[in-house]
Amino acid sequence: MASPRVLSGIQPTADSFHLGNYLGAVRQYVTMQEGYDAFYCVVDLHAITVDYQPEALRRRSRVAAAQLFAVGLDPDRSTVFIQSHVREHTELAWVLICLTGMGEAGRMTQFKDKSAKYGESSAGVGLFTYPILQAADILLYQADKVPVGADQKQHLELTRDLAQRFNHRFGETFTLPEPHIVKGVEKITDLQDPTAKMSKSSSSPGGILDLLEDPGPLRKKIMRAVTDTGTEIVFDEENKPGIANLLRILSALTGTPIPELETRYAGQGYGTFKKDVAEAVVETFTPIRERTEKLLADETQLDRMLAAGAARARKVAAETMEKVRDRAGFLTAS
Ligand code: TRP
């Protein structure tokens, strides 16, 4: 039997992935290339739903792809590609848009949050249809599992609803995907505001740890992370969100359960603890940064890897799209 399929997408909207992306999603991509037929795409079409600069987008798409290879995605095992290289994404998105209700799309909380930031009337229609394009990404590949952060649950629900609606109206076509959300790292928070999610769009530079950052600034940010008065290193989300966040990070990076860390640091100050967190982060990030730089130094080779990924992705996408076109009632172009 064929392996179950996994698909995920990541936006090229920053010059580096951050620790939240890494622990919440990207690290999982690597684990899941074992045992799954894995498809991972850099979703450049999603990145244009907000203000952007073409040159920055081009650079960030390559940087994102290079980081995916650098964390350990093996191009022989995983299909890594750029979303816009596979035209079927936009084609399927249109068909799904026509199956989506205005009210249904308007209930998406990520849209509400993002459009509120832009001001209701200046948010683009692309932002409104963003989750439907995401549904197309997933359904094109008949994905069984979708590794994402917890904030994407609602988009996965919409994806399942649209798949079911299409299947019901036009005949069984799409696999219903399940989100795959990693426990324990759902909430990597901002180092300066430990109750808010670490996020490229809202974190201040001091609150975010970038995968491609040098060791010096990484250490400095962790040493300056907001903690609480008191001296104990205990996991108390409510009263000590800063320490809880650092415990989550250290636990995720070293594989040590949090209770064990609490015992280890009992009676020790915040300073020693933070130094260890900083070391764990630097140790994880440094080899990834070095591999990313190497990949980016040879653009021709990187672009070749992405072309190979796109060719593999296109084959699967075209097959699904052929069924969709037929079932939805389009004439075959002869
Ligand atoms: N919306 C996702 C995020 O912000 C990115 C994304 C786009 C995605 N297409 C996808 C994730 C398909 C999973 C599957 O994280």
Side-chain angles (χ1 to χ4, degrees):
M1 214 181 78
S3 305
R5 192 161 280 158
V6 57
L7 175 127
S8 195
I10 189 151
Q11 290 206 62
T13 40
D15 286 314
S16 171
F17 294 153
H18 59 71
L19 182 68
N21 304 134
Y22 176 71
L23 291 177
V26 176
R27 192 170 70 158
Q28 208 52 30
Y29 294 1
V30 182
T31 314
M32 291 182 92
Q33 68 182 344
E34 319 272 351
Y36 286 91
D37 181 16
F39 288 75
Y40 300 117
C41 63
V42 173
V43 292
D44 53 351
L45 298 168
H46 280 99
I48 69 167
T49 57
V50 293
D51 261 344
Y52 79 101
Q53 299 296 330
E55 273 320 312
L57 179 63
R58 222 185 313 274
R59 180 182 74 245
R60 289 169 170 181
S61 294
R62 281 209 187 89
V63 173
Q67 287 174 101
L68 291 179
F69 292 123
V71 296
L73 291 183
D74 171 357
D76 291 329
R77 272 192 291 179
S78 295
T79 302
V80 178
F81 65 103
I82 304 288
Q83 184 189 31
S84 67
H85 286 176
V86 182
R87 309 283 201 271
E88 283 80 359
H89 288 251
T90 39
E91 191 181 0
L92 179 58
W94 177 252
V95 175
L96 298 177
I97 281 169
C98 296
L99 287 176
T100 309
M102 290 291 282
E104 192 175 29
R107 278 194 295 278
M108 296 292 121
T109 57
Q110 195 168 59
F111 165 71
K112 287 197 270 191
D113 292 348
K114 285 192 187 174
S115 59
K117 224 175 354 190
Y118 272 76
E120 177 108 16
S121 56
S122 52
V125 176
L127 200 58
F128 187 63
T129 58
Y130 174 118
I132 311 169
L133 177 61
Q134 180 170 353
D137 299 340
I138 297 165
L139 299 179
L140 262 184
Y141 299 92
Q142 310 286 2
D144 299 287
K145 286 267 186 321
V146 184
V148 280
D151 63 333
Q152 296 296 305
K153 254 192 186 151
Q154 198 188 25
H155 290 172
L156 262 291
E157 280 305 314
L158 176 70
T159 304
R160 291 171 61 88
D161 288 346
L162 291 174
Q164 261 167 323
R165 196 168 302 156
F166 188 100
N167 288 349
H168 187 73
R169 281 191 58 180
F170 303 122
E172 274 313 306
T173 306
F174 294 122
T175 303
L176 296 195
E178 304 267 359
H180 180 92
I181 295 167
V182 198
K183 287 252 156 48
V185 292
E186 304 93 322
K187 243 185 101 192
I188 297 300
T189 58
D190 186 309
L191 298 182
Q192 289 302 316
D193 177 6
T195 56
K197 193 182 140 180
M198 185 180 287
S199 146
K200 58 199 158 210
S201 56
S202 58
S203 293
S204 67
I208 192 165
L209 297 171
D210 279 330
L211 205 51
L212 301 182
E213 211 162 350
D214 286 325
L218 285 172
R219 288 203 181 91
K220 204 177 272 173
K221 286 183 194 178
I222 293 164
M223 297 313 287
R224 287 183 186 164
V226 166
T227 44
D228 357 72
T229 51
T231 52
E232 264 170 276
I233 294 156
V234 289
F235 190 85
D236 178 351
E237 188 69 71
E238 203 142 296
N239 300 306
K240 292 174 156 267
I243 290 293
N245 191 39
L246 294 176
L247 277 167
R248 247 190 318 259
I249 292 170
L250 187 57
S251 171
L253 291 176
T254 60
T256 316
I258 288 178
E260 212 171 291
L261 293 174
E262 289 174 321
T263 315
R264 182 184 307 166
Y265 291 102
Q268 306 215 34
Y270 285 169
T272 317
F273 170 60
K274 282 177 156 180
K275 238 185 229 146
D276 289 354
V277 175
E279 270 336 288
V281 169
V282 167
E283 242 171 67
T284 307
F285 283 14
T286 300
I288 297 174
R289 175 174 47 81
E290 288 170 355
R291 281 195 293 270
T292 303
E293 284 165 358
K294 219 176 194 175
L295 283 154
L296 288 171
D298 189 350
E299 269 181 11
T300 315
Q301 171 60 12
L302 181 61
D303 289 353
R304 218 178 284 137
M305 289 160 83
L306 292 172
R312 286 214 305 258
R314 219 173 274 133
K315 251 184 88 187
V316 178
E319 210 175 289
T320 301
M321 207 51 220
E322 202 177 317
K323 280 189 209 156
V324 170
R325 295 173 61 86
D326 177 54
R327 296 194 181 148
F330 297 118
L331 279 175
T332 312
S334 48

